[in-house]
Amino acid sequence: MESDGAAIPKMVGEDSIRDVFEESEILPGTAAGNGEEKSGNGDGAAKITKEDMINDFKRETKISGEKSRETPEKEKLPLTERLKTLFKKKEVDFEPYDPEKHGPLVSFDGMSGYEEIDRYWVNEPYAFIVILHNTEQDDLLYQVVEPGMTGLESEFLEEIRSRLRDALLVEDVEEEEDKEEILVKKVKSLVQDYALDIDIATLEKILYYVVRDFIGFGKLDPLMHDSSIEDISANGHDLPIYLYHKKYLNIPTSVVYEEEELDSFIIRLAQRSGKHISIAEPMVDAAMPDGSRIQMTLGDAVTAHGSTFTIRKFKDVPITPIDLINWKTFSSEAMAYLWLCIENNKSLIFAGGTASGKTSSLNAAALFMPEKAKIITLEDTRELQLPHPNWIPGVTRDAFTADNRGAIDMYELLRGALRQRPEYLLVGEVRGKEALTLFQAMSTGHTTFSTMHADSVASAIHRLENPPISVPRTMIEALDIMSIQSQIYVKGQRARRSVKIVEITDIDPTTRNIRTNDIFAWNPAKDVIEHVGESKSLIGIMTRRGWTVQELKKELAYRQKILEYLMHNDITDFDIIATIIHAYQSTPEKVLQKLGIE
């Protein structure tokens, strides 16, 4: 384009500006780039130098260039985030479920041939349990009652499940996020997609089953919520799940798995427990995410009726010494004796048969260890729970390969633990060569606690002395106390009792037999635990602490009164009991004063 002046290039840059303004030093009638009027040739017109014009042009060009190159905030996001933003919908705020307004989700009108004898919630308002009694066969049935679904609701639930699997595959879930909350939002979003005027009760049913199956334990979920259950057993496909109930003992349930369903469930349980199970390796022991112990078999290669599992339920709240006294497993006097002995570094083994409460007693007695003591626990599956801050929990590990490479067994764990200078060493159970190392640790002054399977002192010593344990008799003398526990029946009800607390005194020089001394024994006629003998361990503690006999008796009496105070005042909270026990170790006078004990 031509003008009266010189031709102006299409692309204007710094050099071309200089060319255009090369002939003149100033331009009339133009404001200076910095906003200040320049002095001119006296006619009052503003003057600007060539350099001012160049700087002004550069600044304007830079500003306009930055604006033109600016990227919208949305385009700065990664592609996946932009897609999520693109398809993001406004969340619908569904009305919260109210049983009084929308009606109950579950109901049970009885079963032909059975009489209802008990009913209680396990996951209110979604699932409750009914205990039924067959009067003709004198059998009990554990009936699980969950929300009933109509045909349309079941089809809609299956569609939601199918779409959820695809949606959750691309969902980036952080470890600390609430998975149930995310799942509920996804379900509500999918319901919104269908644009159905869904009933609130129906939505709540769908949410229950989705959370139960994706996060919970599926059909087994109500049983896992039942605190009255100790063991859950699947004996094969197309057979009822059996359980051990605290009140009704062994009882079949209404839960039954088909073959493929059971295989799939066991594979999923193994994966959630961090283990692998397959036809090549069909047996697995594991700890479930909630801490329960599980043993599983897959297929019919090792179990004729198909896949099986046995779950030993985990208590959310650890058992305390007060619980054991309330259950009459121990007397308050016996527990005070153990308290004083454990605090003063006496080694102890809890022996008994299956389900006699050995591990529970070990966990409860562990509260008596000093609060700041260095403690190491070694287990195959995590069961022990301690409130102590200076605690290292060790767990064995399976092999990575077929040639057993990478396995860390109890023996290796124990060897490593002894290099860490523990003051208290707790081994979940002794059953092999690790027992020899454990007794070597006792002989060198380490305080050790453990459990083992034996129903009497004689059988316990026999097991320790013979293969595969093979502890020399002279080393067994390093053990101070053995508590023999048993599962017995009192007035027709199952109960657990410490039938005998025994001290290992010495080895008879003539017969070379191990001599023992009974300290406490259970009297089955009265169902009480009686003090029956004098304690060598207490005499040792008295000498070590410089106490008189009267001071020793007073110390035992104080501890017994503290335990009885907690029991009589129904104080069973784990943290409160642990706090009082540890406070007594540091400031006994203050604790006695606060509790009003003289």
Side-chain angles (χ1 to χ4, degrees), residues 105-106 126 145-149 153-154 157 161 164 183 187 202-216 218-219:
L105 298 176
V106 286
Y126 306 108
V145 184
E146 295 181 284
M149 303 285 280
E153 288 173 338
S154 297
L157 174 60
R161 279 177 177 154
L164 265 177
L183 201 57
V187 171
T202 299
L203 175 61
E204 200 69 17
K205 290 179 188 178
I206 288 170
L207 288 173
Y208 166 71
Y209 281 110
V210 167
V211 171
R212 185 199 78 167
D213 295 341
F214 279 79
I215 298 176
K219 291 162 70 170

Side-chain angles (χ1 to χ4, degrees), residues 31-306:
N34 58 4
E36 295 178 0
E37 188 176 272
K38 301 289 182 179
S39 60
N41 53 8
D43 57 4
K47 297 178 182 179
I48 184 169
T49 63
K50 175 177 65 177
E51 207 61 42
D52 289 332
M53 185 62 186
I54 291 171
N55 290 336
D56 185 49
F57 184 83
K58 285 170 67 179
R59 186 174 65 255
E60 292 296 328
T61 304
K62 182 179 179 182
I63 292 171
S64 62
E66 285 177 350
K67 288 180 179 178
S68 63
R69 290 194 299 272
E70 186 176 357
T71 305
E73 286 297 323
K74 290 183 179 178
E75 293 184 15
K76 292 179 182 179
L77 297 170
L79 178 60
T80 53
E81 293 299 322
R82 281 154 54 193
L83 285 172
K84 286 180 182 178
T85 305
L86 181 64
F87 293 106
K88 190 173 182 181
K89 302 180 291 296
K90 184 179 179 181
E91 290 185 11
V92 177
D93 188 17
F94 289 93
E95 182 184 358
Y97 168 72
D98 182 355
E100 293 185 3
K101 182 178 179 181
H102 304 109
L105 298 176
V106 286
S107 63
F108 181 74
D109 298 326
M111 184 181 295
S112 177
Y114 285 87
E115 176 190 353
E116 181 177 328
I117 61 173
D118 198 0
R119 178 185 294 212
Y120 57 91
W121 287 103
V122 288
N123 186 10
E124 193 174 2
Y126 306 108
F128 64 78
I129 303 303
V130 179
I131 306 296
L132 299 172
H133 179 237
N134 186 318
T135 52
E136 291 184 5
Q137 300 178 1
D138 195 25
D139 283 339
L140 294 176
L141 176 65
Y142 182 96
Q143 178 70 39
V144 176
V145 184
E146 295 181 284
M149 303 285 280
T150 64
L152 181 61
E153 288 173 338
S154 297
E155 289 180 15
F156 188 49
L157 174 60
E158 286 306 315
E159 184 66 24
I160 291 290
R161 279 177 177 154
S162 177
R163 288 179 174 267
L164 265 177
R165 291 185 182 97
D166 295 334
L168 293 173
L169 283 174
V170 294
E171 183 72 22
D172 187 17
V173 181
E174 298 292 334
E175 187 68 30
E176 63 275 5
E177 288 187 81
D178 188 333
K179 295 178 176 58
E180 183 174 338
E181 185 179 332
I182 293 171
L183 201 57
V184 168
K185 285 182 179 178
K186 283 288 181 186
V187 171
K188 289 182 177 180
S189 176
L190 290 171
V191 171
Q192 179 186 346
D193 287 343
Y194 281 92
L196 292 176
D197 186 15
I198 192 169
D199 181 68
I200 297 300
T202 299
L203 175 61
E204 200 69 17
K205 290 179 188 178
I206 288 170
L207 288 173
Y208 166 71
Y209 281 110
V210 167
V211 171
R212 185 199 78 167
D213 295 341
F214 279 79
I215 298 176
F217 296 93
K219 291 162 70 170
L220 208 68
D221 201 60
L223 280 68
M224 297 299 292
H225 277 89
D226 191 346
S227 59
S228 302
I229 295 175
E230 294 186 6
D231 296 341
I232 303 171
S233 300
N235 303 324
H237 58 79
D238 300 313
L239 295 171
I241 299 291
Y242 269 79
L243 53 85
Y244 197 100
H245 196 282
K246 289 179 180 177
K247 185 175 181 181
Y248 302 105
L249 309 185
N250 290 301
I251 180 172
T253 73
S254 59
V255 181
V256 178
Y257 285 92
E258 296 177 359
E259 185 172 7
E260 289 185 9
E261 185 184 21
L262 181 58
D263 291 348
S264 175
F265 180 64
I266 282 178
I267 291 169
R268 182 183 168 210
L269 277 181
Q271 290 172 344
R272 288 181 63 175
S273 304
K275 300 280 187 175
H276 170 74
I277 192 169
S278 64
I279 298 301
E281 298 178 13
M283 293 184 67
V284 165
D285 291 311
M288 296 172 69
D290 69 340
S292 300
R293 289 172 59 181
I294 183 168
Q295 196 281 333
M296 296 171 277
T297 65
L298 182 65
D300 56 8
V302 292
T303 46
H305 294 158

Side-chain angles (χ1 to χ4, degrees), residues 346-349 424-426 438 441-442 446-450:
K346 298 299 179 184
S347 293
L348 171 65
I349 284 182
Y424 289 86
L425 189 59
L426 280 67
L438 186 73
M442 284 186 206
H446 292 85
T447 305
T448 64
F449 305 146
S450 187

Side-chain angles (χ1 to χ4, degrees), residues 399-431:
F400 292 136
T401 60
D403 58 354
N404 214 34
R405 190 175 301 169
I408 305 293
D409 60 12
M410 191 69 77
Y411 176 68
E412 290 296 326
L413 272 182
L414 185 54
R415 284 180 57 196
L418 291 174
R419 299 190 184 104
Q420 296 171 284
R421 205 188 71 81
E423 293 175 68
Y424 289 86
L425 189 59
L426 280 67
V427 179
E429 183 180 347
V430 290
R431 60 170 74 91

Side-chain angles (χ1 to χ4, degrees), residues 322 326 564-573 577:
I322 307 305
N326 282 327
E564 289 175 351
Y565 175 89
L566 297 173
M567 180 184 68
H568 293 319
N569 287 276
D570 200 26
I571 299 173
T572 56
D573 183 88
I577 292 169

Side-chain angles (χ1 to χ4, degrees), residues 435-584:
L436 179 58
T437 308
L438 186 73
F439 275 85
Q440 285 175 335
M442 284 186 206
S443 302
T444 54
H446 292 85
T447 305
T448 64
F449 305 146
S450 187
T451 69
M452 67 180 295
H453 280 85
D455 57 6
S456 66
V457 177
S459 62
I461 292 174
H462 182 75
R463 275 203 69 199
L464 290 171
E465 285 188 314
N466 290 282
I469 299 178
S470 302
V471 175
R473 186 167 292 189
T474 52
M475 279 191 181
I476 297 176
E477 194 180 355
L479 176 65
D480 297 300
I481 304 165
M482 187 178 290
S483 174
I484 307 298
Q485 295 196 200
S486 182
Q487 185 178 155
I488 49 88
Y489 284 86
V490 178
K491 297 178 181 178
Q493 297 293 320
R494 190 193 69 154
R496 294 183 174 104
R497 296 289 183 267
S498 175
V499 295
K500 194 174 286 188
I501 296 179
V502 176
E503 288 185 356
I504 310 293
T505 54
D506 56 13
I507 296 177
D508 190 298
T510 307
T511 62
R512 301 301 298 165
N513 290 331
I514 294 175
R515 291 197 291 209
T516 62
N517 183 26
D518 294 354
I519 309 301
F520 292 92
W522 176 60
N523 183 334
K526 300 179 181 178
D527 188 27
V528 294
I529 295 171
E530 300 173 337
H531 190 181
V532 295
E534 294 301 318
S535 169
K536 172 190 170 185
S537 295
L538 291 181
I539 294 171
I541 293 169
M542 182 179 68
T543 305
R544 176 184 169 189
R545 301 290 288 267
W547 290 340
T548 63
V549 174
Q550 288 303 116
E551 287 174 324
L552 174 65
K553 288 181 178 180
K554 184 186 291 186
E555 188 63 35
L556 280 169
Y558 281 151
R559 292 168 193 251
Q560 183 178 345
K561 286 178 180 178
I562 290 172
L563 295 172
E564 289 175 351
Y565 175 89
L566 297 173
M567 180 184 68
H568 293 319
N569 287 276
D570 200 26
I571 299 173
T572 56
D573 183 88
F574 180 82
D575 294 328
I576 294 175
I577 292 169
T579 301
I580 291 173
I581 288 172
H582 294 153
Y584 182 79

